[in-house]
Amino acid sequence: MKVDFFIVGQGLAGTLLSYELIKRNKSFIVFDDLTHPKASYVAAGIVNPVVFRRMTKSWMADDAFPVMENTYFQIELMLKEKFYYPMQMIKFLSEEIAKLWKDKSFANELGTYLLPEPFKSDVNEFQHQYSKFGLVNKAGRLDMQKFIDAFGKYLIQNQKLKSEKFDCNKLRFFNESVNYENLQAKKVIFCDGPSVSGNPFFRAIKFKHSKGEVLDLEIPVFKTDRIINGDVFIAPVSEHQFRVGATYCWNELDFEPTQSARNEIISKFKSFMQYEYRVLSHKAGIRPTTHDRKPVIGLLPDNPQIGIFNGLGSKGVLLGPYFARQLAEFLANESTFIDPEVDVRRYYKRQ
């Protein structure tokens, strides 16, 4: 069997790249190990175009945001499912930060995304601790697990997915093709998240993954359609169910939930939320991130039959569609451009 591409991994990156290749009538096979935990399943899927610490736009926000909205909308139409939920986000502000919010909103041209004037919230539960609040109008949440599972079903129905672990040792390279067992492609693109650290083809890339943990809580007497951003985020999943987190750990990179992270999330949650709650689940995942916190995409300079789309990190829901489109255009020979800031070649420059 001959296809244009092998895609390794069907997390967020692999799913988005698959969609963009389908749009361009390119053939491919996705390899996905269903026995291996998916970091994308754990992620809250929150979109926030503002960096609160500096009160600036998130990197690439102006370019990526419209592509993101359009991409998820088109995939929803294609699969007849709902995955992406535009939402407002409330940010807790001290008096000092409230002033910074107002000043920087104008100076950094953030009016597209947020309300420049801080306000007093009508959410009485927070009034005792926070004097003012900031409102991000253009935020949102992607139901990552539903999104990836639904797209996976589509791939299976169209015979584009092999549910098995991909073994790099089985690859055979020829002048015009890459062979894997009885399959043949022009190129192989690795979209396998944190697993890439063990990939022999990408030893030059400086990855800096982090472990994150989240809780799913049921809060029976609380309801909101906004994302709340305090010491932890609280993202509504259903009427009384919320995803709460997240922690960051750069050591012990595994998928095992820890009691210390659970305690940290609950403590921060209780610092501004007084309602009774019930823990429904506790999950851990690994964010695939590079040393400069930018994605890494493109083809290896010493072997252009091997490509990568990885390192989306905590901004993956926002940035993923934009760079999936850029990579697909490059692979389909519609463009010769890959942004130098994300190009894998940045790790192979001669000194």
Side-chain angles (χ1 to χ4, degrees):
M1 180 180 178
K2 295 183 180 180
V3 294
D4 293 315
F5 304 102
F6 297 145
I7 297 175
V8 182
Q10 199 241 320
L12 180 63
T15 298
L16 291 169
L17 181 60
S18 297
Y19 169 69
E20 292 294 338
L21 292 176
I22 289 169
K23 284 173 54 180
R24 290 161 177 78
N25 296 313
K26 296 300 178 182
S27 58
F28 59 87
I29 293 291
V30 177
F31 294 82
D32 191 55
D33 182 3
L34 299 181
T35 65
H36 188 73
K38 283 186 192 295
S40 299
Y41 279 1
V42 179
I46 291 175
V47 173
N48 175 19
V50 180
V51 180
F52 290 135
R53 281 177 301 161
R54 301 190 300 272
M55 284 304 295
T56 59
K57 295 175 187 176
S58 182
W59 179 70
M60 295 295 297
D62 287 346
D63 294 317
F65 203 96
V67 175
M68 176 204 72
E69 287 189 312
N70 180 260
T71 297
Y72 294 133
F73 176 68
Q74 293 299 327
I75 296 176
E76 286 177 339
L77 288 179
M78 177 178 133
L79 300 182
K80 298 180 174 58
E81 296 269 10
K82 181 68 176 173
F83 316 109
Y84 182 70
Y85 303 89
M87 294 180 180
Q88 294 179 325
M89 177 183 289
I90 290 179
K91 173 64 176 174
F92 298 149
L93 306 175
S94 64
E95 286 291 344
E96 179 182 356
I97 300 301
K99 184 178 184 307
L100 178 70
W101 178 284
K102 184 175 181 178
D103 293 343
K104 293 294 186 179
S105 294
F106 293 103
N108 293 331
E109 301 178 340
L110 297 174
T112 302
Y113 302 106
L114 54 76
L115 189 69
E117 191 73 38
F119 67 100
K120 289 194 173 183
S121 174
D122 55 359
V123 184
N124 295 325
E125 292 75 19
F126 309 134
Q127 294 286 2
H128 69 286
Q129 187 170 353
Y130 297 92
S131 57
K132 292 186 179 179
F133 300 81
L135 182 68
V136 179
N137 283 315
K138 299 188 73 172
R141 184 184 70 85
L142 178 70
D143 188 331
M144 290 268 250
Q145 183 164 351
K146 185 179 179 183
F147 173 66
I148 291 168
D149 286 349
F151 203 93
K153 289 178 183 177
Y154 170 87
L155 293 175
I156 291 171
Q157 290 167 359
N158 290 273
Q159 299 181 325
K160 294 180 180 294
L161 188 143
K162 292 181 74 68
S163 302
E164 62 181 63
K165 183 178 181 180
F166 190 85
D167 185 353
C168 292
N169 294 317
K170 294 182 180 180
L171 282 172
R172 297 293 180 267
F173 296 94
F174 300 91
N175 289 336
E176 301 295 330
S177 69
V178 179
N179 287 17
Y180 187 86
E181 296 182 329
N182 62 336
L183 301 172
Q184 186 179 105
K186 297 174 184 176
K187 301 182 188 300
V188 54
I189 313 297
F190 288 90
C191 306
D192 48 349
S195 298
V196 72
S197 294
N199 191 312
F201 299 124
F202 303 112
R203 291 196 177 102
I205 299 177
K206 300 173 184 176
F207 287 103
K208 189 177 181 181
H209 306 314
S210 64
K211 179 177 179 177
E213 299 186 44
V214 296
L215 299 178
D216 286 325
L217 302 184
E218 180 185 47
I219 311 175
V221 296
F222 180 68
K223 183 169 66 172
T224 182
D225 57 1
R226 293 168 169 174
I227 300 165
I228 300 168
N229 188 297
D231 291 334
V232 289
F233 65 75
I234 302 175
V237 175
S238 59
E239 188 173 19
H240 295 292
Q241 183 176 333
F242 302 84
R243 181 151 290 187
V244 182
T247 60
Y248 282 83
C249 175
W250 287 266
N251 303 312
E252 300 179 10
L253 297 181
D254 56 44
F255 289 85
E256 294 299 319
T258 63
Q259 187 63 46
S260 60
R262 181 185 179 113
N263 293 343
E264 177 185 341
I265 294 170
I266 291 297
S267 175
K268 290 178 177 179
F269 169 79
K270 286 182 174 180
S271 72
F272 61 84
M273 180 72 79
Q274 305 302 315
Y275 292 120
E276 294 294 322
Y277 64 88
R278 182 167 69 92
V279 177
L280 301 176
S281 68
H282 179 187
K283 300 174 183 177
I286 303 173
R287 305 176 187 89
T289 312
T290 60
H291 80 291
D292 56 8
R293 305 182 73 82
K294 301 243 172 77
V296 55
I297 72 174
L299 304 177
L300 292 182
D302 58 345
N303 189 343
Q305 291 174 307
I306 301 174
I308 187 170
F309 181 27
N310 210 311
L312 291 176
S314 59
K315 295 288 185 179
V317 176
L318 173 61
L319 296 176
Y322 180 85
F323 286 113
R325 179 179 296 185
Q326 188 173 109
L327 180 57
E329 290 173 347
F330 183 86
L331 294 174
N333 297 315
E334 296 176 1
S335 167
T336 58
F337 177 75
I338 290 181
D339 189 321
E341 291 194 77
V342 301
D343 196 332
V344 67
R345 290 172 179 261
R346 72 190 191 268
Y347 291 104
Y348 295 86
K349 292 179 180 178
R350 297 187 183 277
Q351 301 300 322

Short mmCIF file of all heavy atoms in Angstrom, two decimals, residues 19-68:
data_model
loop_
_atom_site.label_atom_id
_atom_site.label_comp_id
_atom_site.label_asym_id
_atom_site.label_seq_id
_atom_site.Cartn_x
_atom_site.Cartn_y
_atom_site.Cartn_z
N TYR A 19 -6.18 16.53 9.48
CA TYR A 19 -7.27 17.31 8.90
C TYR A 19 -6.77 18.18 7.75
O TYR A 19 -7.40 18.24 6.68
CB TYR A 19 -7.92 18.17 9.97
CG TYR A 19 -8.88 19.19 9.41
CD1 TYR A 19 -10.09 18.79 8.84
CD2 TYR A 19 -8.57 20.55 9.42
CE1 TYR A 19 -10.97 19.73 8.30
CE2 TYR A 19 -9.44 21.49 8.89
CZ TYR A 19 -10.63 21.07 8.33
OH TYR A 19 -11.49 21.99 7.78
N GLU A 20 -5.65 18.85 7.95
CA GLU A 20 -5.14 19.73 6.90
C GLU A 20 -4.70 18.94 5.66
O GLU A 20 -4.84 19.43 4.53
CB GLU A 20 -3.96 20.56 7.44
CG GLU A 20 -4.36 21.59 8.49
CD GLU A 20 -5.26 22.69 7.94
OE1 GLU A 20 -5.25 22.92 6.71
OE2 GLU A 20 -5.99 23.33 8.74
N LEU A 21 -4.21 17.74 5.84
CA LEU A 21 -3.83 16.92 4.69
C LEU A 21 -5.06 16.39 3.96
O LEU A 21 -5.07 16.26 2.74
CB LEU A 21 -2.93 15.77 5.14
CG LEU A 21 -1.54 16.18 5.65
CD1 LEU A 21 -0.78 14.97 6.17
CD2 LEU A 21 -0.74 16.89 4.56
N ILE A 22 -6.12 16.09 4.71
CA ILE A 22 -7.38 15.67 4.09
C ILE A 22 -7.90 16.79 3.19
O ILE A 22 -8.35 16.56 2.06
CB ILE A 22 -8.43 15.31 5.16
CG1 ILE A 22 -8.05 13.99 5.84
CG2 ILE A 22 -9.83 15.20 4.55
CD1 ILE A 22 -8.86 13.68 7.09
N LYS A 23 -7.84 18.03 3.67
CA LYS A 23 -8.29 19.18 2.89
C LYS A 23 -7.52 19.28 1.56
O LYS A 23 -8.06 19.79 0.58
CB LYS A 23 -8.10 20.47 3.68
CG LYS A 23 -9.13 20.69 4.78
CD LYS A 23 -8.77 21.89 5.63
CE LYS A 23 -8.55 23.15 4.83
NZ LYS A 23 -8.20 24.31 5.71
N ARG A 24 -6.28 18.80 1.54
CA ARG A 24 -5.44 18.91 0.36
C ARG A 24 -5.39 17.61 -0.45
O ARG A 24 -4.54 17.45 -1.31
CB ARG A 24 -4.03 19.34 0.79
CG ARG A 24 -4.01 20.78 1.28
CD ARG A 24 -2.82 21.14 2.12
NE ARG A 24 -2.88 22.57 2.47
CZ ARG A 24 -3.66 23.08 3.42
NH1 ARG A 24 -4.40 22.27 4.17
NH2 ARG A 24 -3.69 24.37 3.64
N ASN A 25 -6.31 16.70 -0.11
CA ASN A 25 -6.43 15.43 -0.84
C ASN A 25 -5.14 14.62 -0.84
O ASN A 25 -4.80 13.96 -1.82
CB ASN A 25 -6.87 15.68 -2.29
CG ASN A 25 -8.26 16.29 -2.37
OD1 ASN A 25 -9.19 15.82 -1.71
ND2 ASN A 25 -8.40 17.34 -3.17
N LYS A 26 -4.42 14.69 0.28
CA LYS A 26 -3.21 13.90 0.45
C LYS A 26 -3.55 12.61 1.20
O LYS A 26 -4.36 12.61 2.13
CB LYS A 26 -2.15 14.69 1.20
CG LYS A 26 -1.66 15.93 0.46
CD LYS A 26 -1.06 15.57 -0.88
CE LYS A 26 -0.63 16.80 -1.66
NZ LYS A 26 -0.08 16.45 -2.98
N SER A 27 -2.92 11.53 0.81
CA SER A 27 -3.17 10.24 1.45
C SER A 27 -2.17 10.03 2.58
O SER A 27 -1.03 10.48 2.52
CB SER A 27 -3.06 9.11 0.44
OG SER A 27 -1.78 9.09 -0.17
N PHE A 28 -2.61 9.33 3.63
CA PHE A 28 -1.73 9.10 4.77
C PHE A 28 -2.26 7.95 5.61
O PHE A 28 -3.43 7.56 5.51
CB PHE A 28 -1.61 10.36 5.64
CG PHE A 28 -2.92 10.86 6.18
CD1 PHE A 28 -3.44 10.38 7.38
CD2 PHE A 28 -3.65 11.82 5.49
CE1 PHE A 28 -4.65 10.83 7.88
CE2 PHE A 28 -4.87 12.28 5.98
CZ PHE A 28 -5.36 11.78 7.18
N ILE A 29 -1.39 7.43 6.45
CA ILE A 29 -1.75 6.46 7.48
C ILE A 29 -1.26 7.02 8.81
O ILE A 29 -0.11 7.45 8.93
CB ILE A 29 -1.10 5.09 7.23
CG1 ILE A 29 -1.68 4.43 5.99
CG2 ILE A 29 -1.29 4.16 8.44
CD1 ILE A 29 -3.12 3.99 6.12
N VAL A 30 -2.14 7.03 9.81
CA VAL A 30 -1.77 7.46 11.15
C VAL A 30 -1.50 6.22 11.99
O VAL A 30 -2.31 5.28 12.00
CB VAL A 30 -2.89 8.30 11.81
CG1 VAL A 30 -2.50 8.68 13.24
CG2 VAL A 30 -3.17 9.55 11.00
N PHE A 31 -0.38 6.22 12.70
CA PHE A 31 -0.07 5.16 13.65
C PHE A 31 -0.29 5.72 15.05
O PHE A 31 0.29 6.77 15.40
CB PHE A 31 1.39 4.70 13.52
CG PHE A 31 1.70 4.03 12.21
CD1 PHE A 31 1.96 4.78 11.06
CD2 PHE A 31 1.72 2.64 12.11
CE1 PHE A 31 2.25 4.18 9.86
CE2 PHE A 31 2.01 2.02 10.91
CZ PHE A 31 2.27 2.79 9.78
N ASP A 32 -1.10 5.06 15.85
CA ASP A 32 -1.38 5.55 17.19
C ASP A 32 -1.46 4.40 18.17
O ASP A 32 -2.24 3.46 17.98
CB ASP A 32 -2.70 6.34 17.20
CG ASP A 32 -2.90 7.10 18.49
OD1 ASP A 32 -2.01 7.90 18.85
OD2 ASP A 32 -3.94 6.93 19.13
N ASP A 33 -0.62 4.46 19.19
CA ASP A 33 -0.58 3.42 20.22
C ASP A 33 -1.65 3.70 21.26
O ASP A 33 -1.49 4.57 22.12
CB ASP A 33 0.81 3.39 20.86
CG ASP A 33 0.95 2.29 21.90
OD1 ASP A 33 0.00 1.50 22.07
OD2 ASP A 33 2.02 2.23 22.53
N LEU A 34 -2.76 2.98 21.19
CA LEU A 34 -3.88 3.22 22.09
C LEU A 34 -3.58 2.82 23.53
O LEU A 34 -4.30 3.20 24.45
CB LEU A 34 -5.12 2.48 21.59
CG LEU A 34 -5.64 2.90 20.20
CD1 LEU A 34 -6.89 2.12 19.84
CD2 LEU A 34 -5.91 4.39 20.15
N THR A 35 -2.53 2.03 23.73
CA THR A 35 -2.18 1.60 25.09
C THR A 35 -1.35 2.67 25.82
O THR A 35 -1.15 2.58 27.03
CB THR A 35 -1.39 0.29 25.08
OG1 THR A 35 -0.11 0.50 24.43
CG2 THR A 35 -2.16 -0.79 24.32
N HIS A 36 -0.85 3.66 25.08
CA HIS A 36 0.00 4.68 25.69
C HIS A 36 -0.86 5.88 26.09
O HIS A 36 -1.70 6.32 25.31
CB HIS A 36 1.09 5.12 24.71
CG HIS A 36 2.12 6.02 25.32
ND1 HIS A 36 3.08 5.55 26.19
CD2 HIS A 36 2.33 7.35 25.20
CE1 HIS A 36 3.84 6.55 26.58
NE2 HIS A 36 3.41 7.65 25.99
N PRO A 37 -0.67 6.43 27.30
CA PRO A 37 -1.47 7.58 27.72
C PRO A 37 -1.29 8.78 26.78
O PRO A 37 -0.19 9.03 26.30
CB PRO A 37 -0.92 7.90 29.12
CG PRO A 37 -0.23 6.66 29.57
CD PRO A 37 0.29 6.00 28.33
N LYS A 38 -2.37 9.49 26.54
CA LYS A 38 -2.32 10.69 25.70
C LYS A 38 -2.29 11.93 26.59
O LYS A 38 -3.19 12.15 27.40
CB LYS A 38 -3.56 10.77 24.80
CG LYS A 38 -3.56 9.86 23.59
CD LYS A 38 -4.78 10.19 22.74
CE LYS A 38 -5.03 9.15 21.66
NZ LYS A 38 -3.97 9.10 20.67
N ALA A 39 -1.27 12.75 26.42
CA ALA A 39 -1.21 14.00 27.17
C ALA A 39 -2.40 14.89 26.82
O ALA A 39 -2.92 15.63 27.67
CB ALA A 39 0.10 14.72 26.86
N SER A 40 -2.86 14.81 25.57
CA SER A 40 -3.97 15.66 25.13
C SER A 40 -5.26 15.37 25.90
O SER A 40 -6.11 16.24 26.06
CB SER A 40 -4.21 15.47 23.63
OG SER A 40 -3.07 15.84 22.88
N TYR A 41 -5.42 14.12 26.37
CA TYR A 41 -6.62 13.77 27.12
C TYR A 41 -6.69 14.49 28.47
O TYR A 41 -7.77 14.73 29.01
CB TYR A 41 -6.67 12.27 27.37
CG TYR A 41 -7.17 11.45 26.21
CD1 TYR A 41 -7.54 12.03 25.00
CD2 TYR A 41 -7.27 10.07 26.33
CE1 TYR A 41 -8.00 11.26 23.95
CE2 TYR A 41 -7.74 9.29 25.27
CZ TYR A 41 -8.09 9.89 24.09
OH TYR A 41 -8.55 9.12 23.05
N VAL A 42 -5.54 14.82 29.02
CA VAL A 42 -5.48 15.44 30.34
C VAL A 42 -5.64 16.95 30.26
O VAL A 42 -6.20 17.58 31.15
CB VAL A 42 -4.15 15.08 31.04
CG1 VAL A 42 -4.05 15.74 32.41
CG2 VAL A 42 -4.02 13.56 31.16
N ALA A 43 -5.16 17.53 29.17
CA ALA A 43 -5.17 18.99 29.03
C ALA A 43 -6.58 19.55 29.15
O ALA A 43 -7.54 18.96 28.66
CB ALA A 43 -4.55 19.38 27.70
N ALA A 44 -6.67 20.71 29.77
CA ALA A 44 -7.97 21.36 29.93
C ALA A 44 -8.48 21.95 28.63
O ALA A 44 -9.66 22.23 28.49
CB ALA A 44 -7.88 22.44 31.00
N GLY A 45 -7.57 22.16 27.66
CA GLY A 45 -7.99 22.68 26.37
C GLY A 45 -8.35 24.15 26.39
O GLY A 45 -9.10 24.63 25.53
N ILE A 46 -7.81 24.91 27.34
CA ILE A 46 -8.18 26.32 27.49
C ILE A 46 -7.44 27.19 26.49
O ILE A 46 -6.23 27.03 26.25
CB ILE A 46 -7.88 26.79 28.92
CG1 ILE A 46 -8.84 26.12 29.91
CG2 ILE A 46 -7.99 28.31 29.04
CD1 ILE A 46 -8.54 26.42 31.35
N VAL A 47 -8.16 28.12 25.90
CA VAL A 47 -7.58 29.13 25.01
C VAL A 47 -7.60 30.47 25.73
O VAL A 47 -8.66 30.94 26.15
CB VAL A 47 -8.38 29.24 23.70
CG1 VAL A 47 -7.87 30.41 22.86
CG2 VAL A 47 -8.28 27.94 22.91
N ASN A 48 -6.43 31.06 25.88
CA ASN A 48 -6.30 32.39 26.48
C ASN A 48 -5.29 33.18 25.66
O ASN A 48 -4.09 32.86 25.68
CB ASN A 48 -5.84 32.29 27.93
CG ASN A 48 -5.58 33.66 28.54
OD1 ASN A 48 -6.06 34.66 28.04
ND2 ASN A 48 -4.82 33.70 29.62
N PRO A 49 -5.72 34.19 24.91
CA PRO A 49 -4.80 34.93 24.04
C PRO A 49 -3.98 36.00 24.75
O PRO A 49 -3.28 36.77 24.09
CB PRO A 49 -5.76 35.58 23.02
CG PRO A 49 -7.01 35.79 23.80
CD PRO A 49 -7.12 34.64 24.77
N VAL A 50 -4.06 36.06 26.08
CA VAL A 50 -3.37 37.11 26.84
C VAL A 50 -2.39 36.48 27.83
O VAL A 50 -2.71 35.50 28.51
CB VAL A 50 -4.39 37.99 27.61
CG1 VAL A 50 -3.66 39.08 28.40
CG2 VAL A 50 -5.40 38.60 26.65
N VAL A 51 -1.19 37.06 27.91
CA VAL A 51 -0.21 36.66 28.92
C VAL A 51 -0.40 37.60 30.11
O VAL A 51 -0.04 38.78 30.05
CB VAL A 51 1.23 36.76 28.38
CG1 VAL A 51 2.23 36.35 29.47
CG2 VAL A 51 1.40 35.89 27.15
N PHE A 52 -0.97 37.10 31.19
CA PHE A 52 -1.36 37.96 32.31
C PHE A 52 -0.15 38.55 33.04
O PHE A 52 -0.22 39.68 33.54
CB PHE A 52 -2.23 37.19 33.30
CG PHE A 52 -3.60 36.88 32.77
CD1 PHE A 52 -4.15 35.61 32.94
CD2 PHE A 52 -4.35 37.82 32.10
CE1 PHE A 52 -5.41 35.30 32.48
CE2 PHE A 52 -5.62 37.54 31.63
CZ PHE A 52 -6.15 36.28 31.81
N ARG A 53 0.92 37.81 33.14
CA ARG A 53 2.07 38.31 33.91
C ARG A 53 2.62 39.61 33.34
O ARG A 53 3.04 40.51 34.06
CB ARG A 53 3.18 37.26 33.95
CG ARG A 53 2.98 36.13 34.94
CD ARG A 53 4.10 35.14 34.83
NE ARG A 53 4.18 34.58 33.47
CZ ARG A 53 5.25 33.99 32.96
NH1 ARG A 53 6.35 33.91 33.68
NH2 ARG A 53 5.23 33.48 31.75
N ARG A 54 2.65 39.70 32.00
CA ARG A 54 3.20 40.89 31.34
C ARG A 54 2.10 41.74 30.71
O ARG A 54 2.39 42.82 30.20
CB ARG A 54 4.21 40.47 30.27
CG ARG A 54 5.37 39.66 30.80
CD ARG A 54 6.46 39.50 29.75
NE ARG A 54 5.98 38.81 28.56
CZ ARG A 54 5.97 37.49 28.39
NH1 ARG A 54 6.40 36.72 29.38
NH2 ARG A 54 5.53 36.95 27.28
N MET A 55 0.88 41.22 30.71
CA MET A 55 -0.23 41.89 30.05
C MET A 55 0.10 42.23 28.60
O MET A 55 0.05 43.38 28.15
CB MET A 55 -0.65 43.14 30.82
CG MET A 55 -1.46 42.82 32.08
SD MET A 55 -2.94 41.82 31.74
CE MET A 55 -3.92 42.92 30.73
N THR A 56 0.47 41.19 27.88
CA THR A 56 0.74 41.29 26.45
C THR A 56 -0.08 40.23 25.72
O THR A 56 -0.63 39.32 26.34
CB THR A 56 2.24 41.04 26.14
OG1 THR A 56 2.61 39.73 26.60
CG2 THR A 56 3.12 42.09 26.81
N LYS A 57 -0.15 40.36 24.42
CA LYS A 57 -0.79 39.32 23.63
C LYS A 57 0.06 38.06 23.68
O LYS A 57 1.29 38.12 23.68
CB LYS A 57 -0.94 39.76 22.17
CG LYS A 57 -1.88 40.93 21.95
CD LYS A 57 -1.86 41.35 20.49
CE LYS A 57 -2.67 42.61 20.28
NZ LYS A 57 -2.58 43.09 18.88
N SER A 58 -0.59 36.93 23.71
CA SER A 58 0.12 35.67 23.59
C SER A 58 0.82 35.63 22.24
O SER A 58 0.33 36.17 21.25
CB SER A 58 -0.87 34.50 23.71
OG SER A 58 -0.20 33.27 23.63
N TRP A 59 1.97 34.99 22.20
CA TRP A 59 2.76 34.92 20.97
C TRP A 59 1.91 34.39 19.81
O TRP A 59 1.25 33.37 19.94
CB TRP A 59 3.97 34.00 21.20
CG TRP A 59 4.85 33.82 20.00
CD1 TRP A 59 5.66 34.76 19.43
CD2 TRP A 59 5.00 32.62 19.24
NE1 TRP A 59 6.31 34.21 18.34
CE2 TRP A 59 5.92 32.91 18.21
CE3 TRP A 59 4.45 31.34 19.34
CZ2 TRP A 59 6.31 31.94 17.27
CZ3 TRP A 59 4.82 30.38 18.40
CH2 TRP A 59 5.74 30.69 17.39
N MET A 60 1.89 35.11 18.70
CA MET A 60 1.19 34.74 17.47
C MET A 60 -0.34 34.83 17.60
O MET A 60 -1.06 34.36 16.72
CB MET A 60 1.57 33.32 17.03
CG MET A 60 3.02 33.16 16.62
SD MET A 60 3.49 34.09 15.16
CE MET A 60 2.47 33.35 13.91
N ALA A 61 -0.85 35.44 18.64
CA ALA A 61 -2.29 35.41 18.88
C ALA A 61 -3.08 36.01 17.72
O ALA A 61 -4.10 35.45 17.30
CB ALA A 61 -2.63 36.14 20.18
N ASP A 62 -2.65 37.15 17.21
CA ASP A 62 -3.41 37.81 16.15
C ASP A 62 -3.51 36.96 14.89
O ASP A 62 -4.53 36.96 14.20
CB ASP A 62 -2.79 39.16 15.80
CG ASP A 62 -3.03 40.21 16.88
OD1 ASP A 62 -3.90 39.97 17.75
OD2 ASP A 62 -2.35 41.25 16.87
N ASP A 63 -2.44 36.23 14.58
CA ASP A 63 -2.46 35.35 13.40
C ASP A 63 -3.17 34.04 13.68
O ASP A 63 -3.91 33.52 12.84
CB ASP A 63 -1.03 35.06 12.94
CG ASP A 63 -0.32 36.30 12.42
OD1 ASP A 63 -0.95 37.07 11.68
OD2 ASP A 63 0.86 36.50 12.76
N ALA A 64 -2.94 33.49 14.87
CA ALA A 64 -3.42 32.13 15.16
C ALA A 64 -4.89 32.08 15.52
O ALA A 64 -5.58 31.09 15.23
CB ALA A 64 -2.58 31.52 16.29
N PHE A 65 -5.40 33.13 16.19
CA PHE A 65 -6.76 33.05 16.73
C PHE A 65 -7.82 32.85 15.64
O PHE A 65 -8.68 31.97 15.77
CB PHE A 65 -7.07 34.29 17.57
CG PHE A 65 -8.17 34.08 18.57
CD1 PHE A 65 -7.88 33.75 19.88
CD2 PHE A 65 -9.50 34.18 18.20
CE1 PHE A 65 -8.89 33.53 20.81
CE2 PHE A 65 -10.52 33.97 19.11
CZ PHE A 65 -10.22 33.64 20.42
N PRO A 66 -7.82 33.64 14.55
CA PRO A 66 -8.85 33.41 13.53
C PRO A 66 -8.72 32.06 12.85
O PRO A 66 -9.73 31.44 12.49
CB PRO A 66 -8.65 34.58 12.56
CG PRO A 66 -7.28 35.09 12.82
CD PRO A 66 -7.00 34.83 14.26
N VAL A 67 -7.49 31.59 12.64
CA VAL A 67 -7.30 30.26 12.04
C VAL A 67 -7.84 29.18 12.97
O VAL A 67 -8.50 28.23 12.53
CB VAL A 67 -5.80 30.01 11.74
CG1 VAL A 67 -5.58 28.58 11.24
CG2 VAL A 67 -5.29 31.01 10.73
N MET A 68 -7.58 29.33 14.27
CA MET A 68 -8.07 28.37 15.25
C MET A 68 -9.59 28.28 15.22
O MET A 68 -10.16 27.19 15.12
CB MET A 68 -7.61 28.79 16.65
CG MET A 68 -8.16 27.91 17.76
SD MET A 68 -8.23 28.73 19.37
CE MET A 68 -9.59 29.88 19.11
#
